[in-house]
Coordinates of all heavy atoms in Angstrom, one line a residue:
D1 N -17.7 -14.1 -0.2 CA -18.8 -13.1 0.2 C -18.3 -11.9 0.9 O -18.8 -10.8 0.7 CB -19.8 -13.9 1.1 CG -20.7 -14.9 0.4 OD1 -20.7 -14.7 -0.9 OD2 -21.2 -15.8 1.0
R2 N -17.2 -12.1 1.8 CA -16.6 -10.9 2.4 C -16.0 -10.0 1.4 O -16.1 -8.8 1.5 CB -15.6 -11.4 3.4 CG -16.2 -12.0 4.7 CD -15.1 -12.1 5.8 NE -14.0 -12.9 5.4 CZ -13.9 -14.2 5.6 NH1 -14.9 -14.8 6.2 NH2 -12.9 -14.9 5.2
E3 N -15.4 -10.6 0.4 CA -14.8 -9.7 -0.7 C -15.9 -9.0 -1.5 O -15.8 -7.8 -1.8 CB -14.0 -10.6 -1.6 CG -13.2 -9.9 -2.7 CD -12.1 -8.9 -2.0 OE1 -11.8 -9.1 -0.8 OE2 -11.6 -8.0 -2.8
R4 N -17.0 -9.7 -1.7 CA -18.1 -9.1 -2.4 C -18.7 -7.9 -1.6 O -19.0 -6.8 -2.1 CB -19.3 -10.1 -2.6 CG -18.9 -11.2 -3.6 CD -19.9 -12.3 -3.6 NE -21.2 -11.9 -4.1 CZ -21.6 -12.2 -5.4 NH1 -20.9 -12.9 -6.2 NH2 -22.8 -11.8 -5.8
R5 N -18.8 -8.1 -0.3 CA -19.2 -7.0 0.6 C -18.2 -5.8 0.6 O -18.7 -4.7 0.5 CB -19.4 -7.5 2.0 CG -20.6 -8.4 2.3 CD -20.8 -8.7 3.8 NE -22.0 -9.4 4.0 CZ -22.2 -10.7 4.0 NH1 -21.2 -11.4 3.7 NH2 -23.4 -11.2 4.3
R6 N -16.9 -6.2 0.6 CA -15.9 -5.1 0.5 C -16.0 -4.3 -0.8 O -16.0 -3.1 -0.8 CB -14.5 -5.7 0.7 CG -13.4 -4.6 0.8 CD -12.1 -5.2 0.7 NE -11.8 -5.8 -0.6 CZ -11.5 -5.0 -1.7 NH1 -11.4 -3.7 -1.6 NH2 -11.3 -5.6 -2.8
I7 N -16.2 -5.0 -1.9 CA -16.3 -4.4 -3.2 C -17.5 -3.5 -3.2 O -17.5 -2.4 -3.7 CB -16.2 -5.4 -4.3 CG1 -14.9 -6.1 -4.4 CG2 -16.6 -4.7 -5.6 CD1 -14.8 -7.2 -5.3
A8 N -18.6 -4.1 -2.7 CA -19.9 -3.3 -2.8 C -19.8 -2.1 -1.9 O -20.3 -1.0 -2.3 CB -21.0 -4.2 -2.3
Q9 N -19.1 -2.2 -0.7 CA -19.0 -1.1 0.1 C -18.1 0.0 -0.5 O -18.4 1.2 -0.4 CB -18.4 -1.5 1.5 CG -18.5 -0.5 2.6 CD -19.9 -0.2 3.0 OE1 -20.7 -1.1 3.1 NE2 -20.2 1.0 3.3
D10 N -17.0 -0.5 -1.1 CA -16.1 0.5 -1.8 C -16.8 1.2 -2.9 O -16.6 2.4 -3.1 CB -14.9 -0.2 -2.3 CG -13.9 -0.7 -1.2 OD1 -14.1 -0.2 0.0 OD2 -13.0 -1.5 -1.5
L11 N -17.6 0.5 -3.7 CA -18.3 1.1 -4.8 C -19.3 2.1 -4.2 O -19.5 3.2 -4.8 CB -19.0 0.1 -5.6 CG -18.1 -0.8 -6.5 CD1 -18.9 -1.9 -7.2 CD2 -17.4 0.0 -7.6
H12 N -20.0 1.7 -3.2 CA -21.0 2.6 -2.6 C -20.4 3.8 -2.0 O -20.9 5.0 -2.2 CB -21.8 1.8 -1.6 CG -22.9 2.6 -0.9 ND1 -22.7 3.4 0.2 CD2 -24.2 2.8 -1.2 CE1 -23.8 4.1 0.6 NE2 -24.8 3.7 -0.3
D13 N -19.3 3.6 -1.2 CA -18.7 4.7 -0.4 C -17.8 5.6 -1.3 O -17.5 6.7 -1.0 CB -18.0 4.2 0.8 CG -18.9 3.6 1.8 OD1 -20.1 3.8 1.7 OD2 -18.4 2.8 2.6
G14 N -17.2 5.0 -2.4 CA -16.2 5.7 -3.2 C -16.8 6.2 -4.5 O -17.1 7.4 -4.6
L15 N -16.9 5.3 -5.5 CA -17.3 5.7 -6.8 C -18.7 6.3 -6.8 O -18.9 7.3 -7.5 CB -17.2 4.5 -7.7 CG -17.5 4.8 -9.2 CD1 -16.5 5.8 -9.8 CD2 -17.3 3.5 -10.0
Q16 N -19.7 5.7 -6.1 CA -21.0 6.3 -6.1 C -21.0 7.7 -5.5 O -21.7 8.6 -6.1 CB -22.0 5.3 -5.4 CG -23.4 5.8 -5.5 CD -24.4 4.7 -4.9 OE1 -24.0 3.6 -4.8 NE2 -25.6 5.2 -4.5
V17 N -20.3 7.9 -4.5 CA -20.3 9.2 -3.9 C -19.6 10.2 -4.9 O -20.1 11.4 -5.0 CB -19.5 9.2 -2.5 CG1 -19.2 10.6 -2.0 CG2 -20.3 8.4 -1.5
Q18 N -18.6 9.8 -5.5 CA -17.9 10.7 -6.5 C -18.9 11.0 -7.7 O -18.9 12.2 -8.1 CB -16.7 10.0 -7.1 CG -15.6 9.8 -6.0 CD -14.4 9.2 -6.6 OE1 -14.1 9.2 -7.8 NE2 -13.6 8.5 -5.7
L19 N -19.7 10.1 -8.1 CA -20.6 10.4 -9.2 C -21.7 11.3 -8.7 O -22.1 12.2 -9.4 CB -21.3 9.1 -9.6 CG -20.4 8.1 -10.5 CD1 -21.1 6.8 -10.7 CD2 -20.0 8.8 -11.8
V20 N -22.1 11.2 -7.5 CA -23.1 12.1 -7.0 C -22.5 13.5 -6.9 O -23.2 14.5 -7.3 CB -23.6 11.7 -5.6 CG1 -24.5 12.8 -4.9 CG2 -24.4 10.4 -5.7
L21 N -21.3 13.7 -6.5 CA -20.6 15.0 -6.4 C -20.5 15.6 -7.8 O -20.7 16.8 -8.0 CB -19.3 14.9 -5.7 CG -19.3 14.5 -4.2 CD1 -17.9 14.3 -3.6 CD2 -20.1 15.6 -3.4
L22 N -20.1 14.7 -8.8 CA -19.9 15.2 -10.1 C -21.3 15.7 -10.7 O -21.4 16.7 -11.4 CB -19.4 14.1 -11.0 CG -17.9 13.8 -10.8 CD1 -17.5 12.6 -11.7 CD2 -17.0 15.0 -11.2
A23 N -22.4 14.9 -10.4 CA -23.7 15.3 -10.8 C -24.1 16.7 -10.2 O -24.6 17.6 -10.9 CB -24.7 14.3 -10.4
L24 N -23.8 16.9 -9.0 CA -24.1 18.2 -8.3 C -23.2 19.3 -9.0 O -23.7 20.4 -9.2 CB -23.8 18.1 -6.8 CG -24.7 17.2 -6.0 CD1 -24.2 17.1 -4.6 CD2 -26.1 17.8 -6.0

């Protein structure tokens, strides 16, 4: 579960932010 949280946090803070910037 801790690893799932880490992955979710990395996806949220990393890839998702990058996608938002690319969309802008």
Side-chain angles (χ1 to χ4, degrees):
D1 288 340
R2 286 195 299 270
E3 187 63 16
R4 292 167 71 101
R5 285 187 172 90
R6 187 192 65 78
I7 292 173
Q9 192 68 36
D10 289 347
L11 290 174
H12 179 274
D13 297 342
L15 185 55
Q16 185 172 336
V17 171
Q18 294 178 26
L19 288 174
V20 171
L21 293 176
L22 287 174
L24 292 174

